Amino acid sequence: MIFTETKLKGAYIIDIKPMEDERGFFSRGYCQQEFKEHQLSIQVAQTNFSFNKKKGTLRGMHLQSAPFEETKLVRCTSGAIYDVIVDMREGSTTYKQWISVELTGHSYRMLYVPEGFAHGFITLKDDTDVTYQVSQFYTPGFEKGYRWDDPAFSIEWPVQPSVISLKDQEHPLLMMEV
């Protein structure tokens, strides 16, 4: 696997190294040893699937708070997403900064999301599937969210959202958080 650290310390884009032959290819999608070599850890507690019917479906910006902070390994298995993470670690030199990466079913690219990052995405195609491996169980009462259009982040989304859950629409702006 090829690990590329982003400008947000601890967040990585991970590409596969396919071994090709006449049948197609074979590659690892996860290797505990390789993750450990990059000081990354993901003890998988849960694997989540997201099916999104329509292009423009927005999910986010989500995270779980202490003591149930989670790392995520995100991959689009069909379709395409514009995946965004925001560093919400107070005291971090990149606090409130964000990055994006396009993940598609054909690229096999993944995004490693460290603890303390808000995560969200918008679909770029109809019928898009996303898989998340997460290090913590979902814990009601410890989930947090921020508005996708929060001026504190100024995320540049490539398309206007057409489908957003009521819960995601009602996330607070960062400056309004108590």
Side-chain angles (χ1 to χ4, degrees):
M1 291 182 290
I2 303 164
F3 292 77
T4 306
E5 190 167 18
T6 70
K7 72 176 186 174
L8 305 178
K9 186 159 181 58
Y12 282 79
I13 296 169
I14 303 169
D15 291 295
I16 63 169
K17 288 171 79 173
M19 295 177 289
E20 297 185 54
D21 64 20
E22 67 279 356
R23 299 170 292 175
F25 75 83
F26 177 85
S27 181
R28 279 191 293 256
Y30 174 77
C31 175
Q32 188 179 45
Q33 185 176 358
E34 288 185 59
F35 272 64
K36 195 176 206 176
E37 289 170 6
H38 290 87
Q39 290 83 47
L40 304 179
S41 175
I42 185 157
Q43 298 288 358
V44 178
Q46 203 169 280
T47 300
N48 302 325
F49 301 105
S50 168
F51 171 70
N52 306 276
K53 293 180 189 178
K54 298 288 181 191
K55 174 183 176 177
T57 299
L58 189 133
R59 294 180 184 262
M61 301 296 297
H62 306 141
L63 71 155
Q64 281 196 168
S65 57
F68 300 103
E69 296 166 310
E70 61 188 2
T71 58
K72 296 179 183 177
L73 186 59
V74 183
R75 180 171 175 256
C76 179
T77 54
S78 69
I81 63 172
Y82 182 82
D83 205 6
V84 175
I85 58 174
V86 179
D87 186 348
M88 296 307 299
R89 301 172 298 180
E90 291 186 29
S92 168
T93 58
T94 56
Y95 178 62
K96 296 193 291 185
Q97 292 182 31
W98 62 276
I99 60 136
S100 64
V101 61
E102 187 172 319
L103 303 177
T104 71
H106 296 293
S107 73
Y108 301 95
R109 176 171 272 185
M110 296 170 279
L111 181 61
Y112 177 86
V113 184
E115 291 180 358
F117 280 68
H119 171 255
F121 65 83
I122 192 163
T123 57
L124 302 175
K125 293 184 176 184
D126 290 345
D127 299 323
T128 292
D129 289 312
V130 181
T131 299
Y132 314 66
Q133 293 177 326
V134 294
S135 63
Q136 289 285 344
F137 297 105
Y138 170 72
T139 308
F142 289 88
E143 74 268 30
K144 290 179 73 171
Y146 298 99
R147 288 262 301 275
W148 64 277
D149 59 350
D150 194 320
F153 312 133
S154 298
I155 298 169
E156 297 171 14
W157 298 97
V159 296
Q160 190 65 24
S162 58
V163 180
I164 307 174
S165 73
L166 182 59
K167 184 176 179 178
D168 284 352
Q169 291 177 49
E170 293 178 343
H171 286 313
L173 295 172
L174 184 61
M175 67 182 122
M176 297 174 70
E177 190 179 63
V178 180

